[in-house]
Amino acid sequence: IADPTLAEMGRNLKEAMKMLEESQRRVEDENGKKLMSEDIPGPLQGSGQDMVSILQLVQNLMHGDEDEEPQSTRIQNIGEQGHMALLGHSLGAFISTLDKEKLRKLTTRILSDTTLWLCRIFRYENGCAYFHEEEREGLAKICRLAIHSRYEDFVVDGFNVLYNKKPVVYLSAAARPGLGQYLCNQLGLPFPCLCRVPCNTMFGSQHQMDVAFLEKMIKDDIERGRLPLLLVANAGTAAVGHTDKIGRLKELCEQYGIWLHVEGVNLATLALGYVSSSVLATTKCDSMTLTPGPWLGLPAVPAVTLYKHDDPALTLVAGLTSNKPADKLRALPLWLSLQYLGLDGIVERIKHACQLSQRLQESLKKVNHIKILVEDELSSPVVVFRFFQELPDSDSVLKAVPAPNMAPSAVNRERHSCDALNRWLGEQLKQLVPASGLTVMDLEVEGTCIRFSPLMTAAVLGTRGEDVDQLVACIESKLPVLTCTLQLREEFKHEVEGMAGLLFVDDPNWPGIGVVRYEHANDDKNSLKSDPAGENIHAALLKKLNELESDLTFKMGPEYKSMKSCIYIGMASDDTDVSELVETIAVTAREIEENSRLLENMTEVVRKGIQEAQVQLQKANEERLLEEGVLRQIPVVGSVLNWFSPVQASQKGRTFNLTAGSLESTEHTYVYKAQGTGVTPPPTPSGTRIKQRLPDENQGPEI
């Protein structure tokens, strides 16, 4: 490199990243030992610090507060392409120091190159690009552009124009949470301007927008004097990765003059050679938002909104274009990274992620008791699945969706139980296969599910095909535990209800066999407040249960509907004897209660004995006072009187006999110089009697 500043910048970045990465490895090698950092800022040094000291401070701040297990492995998998993206931020600061003419030419070249590459890679011909840090910011700018396009006097009259003809923005019910509120806050629109379009209920996917109902809503808004402004469609919903019927929605938008914006993870597949027709239709939309950072494993690169519009003045007013060089330099990290990866590298990463999802989907189809929610979309790079099971020998059925003829209470209980099991399965898989990047989520209809979206995680976590195979193997290994636990739940409930002293606690959110509470003698069954006596019994019971040689896990916590303590029993295996387990819990709890009651009784006896001893000692002191006289109690006079006429007073005290539970005098102890037990001990056997009872080793038994 001819420019020495650029060469030095590259070396500094390489050294800095090497230092930070070595620090991360050292933290892992030390098994989570924390690097102590000085959190209290000191005075700013007058002489300044060198780069190594500053990087050391950054390193300590990054790793000083981490737990034993690292929460993120993003630094480990940045790679060279990530270094290029980080270099772009340093270069941006350096380029901004150039003179205005050079800066203008360079930023224009960077912006035009990046826009052209992205439009060609993702099949969006003749488009413009807006680069933004916040992923939703591009949609807000597009909404502003649509308002300026449909309301010609908006620049002059402002929001007065919107009063007579209110704009309407249509969002799918499957859109990501908070998107509509964000748009209203950014645009200053009231919430009635948002219209939530429901998804299909009769035909098609339950996560796709209902096109017929949308058309009806548009007609109703036009009749009310409103202006349908913009429709946000999904090419891969945030939850399960379903794609709306983009072609049909585009026809509807052209018919009513509505701006069509598309977003979603499935837009990444536009870079592949084969694209499904539903995703390919997004190339005809008015705008789309791309997130190449997670797709390609690039840190700190902006999101991109591609759009088509002919009026540069309106795009400038809407904020989609800018004359400031600093705004154009947002594309610099992406400009560097795209050149480093090349077209083949970009396509290979997206293709690898799609192959991972297809590999998992094909493998899960062969696994029993696993329901896949995206079976109708083979091209979707998102796999969403959940555990379900039918019990043929029982009235209880645990399915992906409860039966419609079930009672509401039974449906809710079954739904919560199924969600608890899937939540446990998801957490176990995340721990066993961290490279899979799984996410546990709650869906409105299906309940708790597990999502595998390699396009958003594989490039960062370095997910490989072997990780998918390991994930499938872990799922198969956990299924026997899930099915066995499910089968033993009813048996556990029946055994607990038939055992005196035990109460079955119905907690549908607990994924284990069940929850049980021991009802002690003084337990107030009608109270929902915490019970200190019961808490002590359950704490001792938990300690005893954890000492058992069993694969079961036991926990103590408050009851589902009250503050009373109870025992939570975890997942079970095939060799679990439920009846023996319940009997062990009941017997152990009774023993603990009896021991605690005996201790309480003994404590009460000792307390009463101490009080009685205090009364008797007080009486003895009064008798001694009467016997010796008042003069002997005066300090000087008493000493002289005792010297002339000593008093022979015996030591009188009290001792408490724990065996007999009685209070006795200590006079015997002071007389015989030994403390008696109050009970005559049995005679100690002498050596002669022992010899008579034990025959000699050399002699035979007597006849």
Side-chain angles (χ1 to χ4, degrees), residues 1-264:
I1 300 177
D3 194 328
T5 306
L6 290 178
E8 183 179 1
M9 185 183 303
R11 288 194 300 269
N12 290 341
L13 177 66
K14 186 175 181 180
E15 293 176 0
M17 293 305 302
K18 182 179 179 181
M19 178 180 295
L20 293 177
E21 290 173 354
E22 289 179 351
S23 169
Q24 179 75 5
R25 297 191 193 97
R26 186 165 61 252
V27 171
E28 293 183 353
D29 293 340
E30 294 176 356
N31 297 324
K33 292 182 179 179
K34 297 181 179 180
L35 294 174
M36 301 303 296
S37 61
E38 297 180 0
D39 295 333
I40 303 176
L44 188 63
Q45 297 185 10
S47 59
Q49 302 184 52
D50 56 5
M51 188 183 68
V52 176
S53 301
I54 298 175
L55 287 177
Q56 183 70 33
L57 175 62
V58 174
Q59 162 186 300
N60 292 342
L61 293 176
M62 288 172 59
H63 307 300
D65 296 332
E66 286 188 355
D67 298 329
E68 293 185 359
E69 296 182 0
Q71 299 296 322
S72 175
T73 56
R74 191 175 293 269
I75 279 188
Q76 298 180 1
N77 299 281
I78 283 181
E80 290 293 334
Q81 75 275 8
H83 290 179
M84 295 300 296
L86 299 178
L87 178 62
H89 293 274
S90 301
L91 278 176
F94 172 69
I95 292 175
S96 63
T97 61
L98 300 176
D99 61 82
K100 292 184 178 180
E101 185 61 24
K102 288 185 179 180
L103 181 60
R104 184 188 63 81
K105 291 182 179 180
L106 182 56
T107 54
T108 303
R109 170 66 184 275
I110 292 173
L111 184 62
S112 61
D113 286 353
T114 311
T115 302
L116 178 62
W117 295 338
L118 291 174
C119 288
R120 289 185 176 178
I121 291 172
F122 296 101
R123 310 188 185 200
Y124 197 77
E125 298 296 334
N126 301 322
C128 302
Y130 172 66
F131 300 88
H132 45 95
E133 302 297 334
E134 166 62 46
E135 187 176 338
R136 301 170 295 182
E137 182 184 350
L139 178 56
K141 301 291 186 182
I142 290 296
C143 288
R144 199 180 302 275
L145 175 62
I147 291 176
H148 283 283
S149 301
R150 297 299 300 273
Y151 295 91
E152 297 179 357
D153 298 331
F154 182 74
V155 178
V156 179
D157 298 333
F159 285 94
N160 292 327
V161 183
L162 307 180
Y163 180 77
N164 296 327
K165 206 168 187 179
K166 297 180 180 179
V168 183
V169 178
Y170 300 94
L171 293 176
S172 171
R176 47 182 164 168
L179 181 60
Q181 183 179 1
Y182 173 83
L183 291 177
C184 289
N185 293 338
Q186 294 296 315
L187 302 174
L189 295 176
F191 287 119
C193 291
L194 288 177
C195 189
R196 189 178 180 88
V197 183
C199 296
N200 295 324
T201 55
M202 299 296 295
F203 305 100
S205 169
Q206 295 181 348
H207 298 272
Q208 286 181 341
M209 194 182 303
D210 191 337
V211 181
F213 198 86
L214 171 63
E215 186 174 7
K216 180 179 180 300
M217 297 173 70
I218 294 174
K219 293 179 180 179
D220 292 342
D221 289 332
I222 294 176
E223 292 178 359
R224 296 175 184 174
R226 298 181 177 182
L227 178 64
L229 182 67
L230 183 138
L231 171 65
V232 181
N234 291 302
T237 56
V240 298
H242 282 204
T243 301
D244 292 324
K245 299 175 182 178
I246 306 295
R248 181 71 182 92
L249 293 176
K250 179 58 179 176
E251 296 175 0
L252 199 62
C253 290
E254 290 179 348
Q255 180 181 353
Y256 294 99
I258 302 175
W259 186 288
L260 177 60
H261 179 84
V262 182
E263 60 180 18

Side-chain angles (χ1 to χ4, degrees), residues 328-384:
K328 296 181 180 181
L329 284 175
R330 292 178 184 171
L332 181 57
L334 196 54
W335 184 74
L336 295 173
S337 301
L338 292 178
Q339 291 185 86
Y340 181 84
L341 291 174
L343 180 61
D344 295 340
I346 295 171
V347 174
E348 180 61 30
R349 277 164 174 76
I350 297 176
K351 183 179 179 180
H352 173 68
C354 294
Q355 289 175 347
L356 291 176
S357 63
Q358 295 302 315
R359 185 169 185 169
L360 178 62
Q361 184 169 340
E362 293 298 327
S363 300
L364 291 181
K365 288 181 179 179
K366 305 174 185 178
V367 180
N368 296 327
H369 309 302
I370 293 295
K371 172 69 175 178
I372 303 177
L373 275 64
V374 204
E375 289 184 348
D376 57 335
E377 295 198 8
L378 297 177
S379 60
S380 175
V382 180
V383 181
V384 180

Side-chain angles (χ1 to χ4, degrees), residues 24 57 97 213 280 324 346 463-464 524 548 571 662 677:
Q24 179 75 5
L57 175 62
T97 61
F213 198 86
L280 188 61
K324 297 179 180 179
I346 295 171
T463 311
R464 303 173 300 171
D524 187 0
L548 299 176
M571 309 295 287
S662 60
T677 60

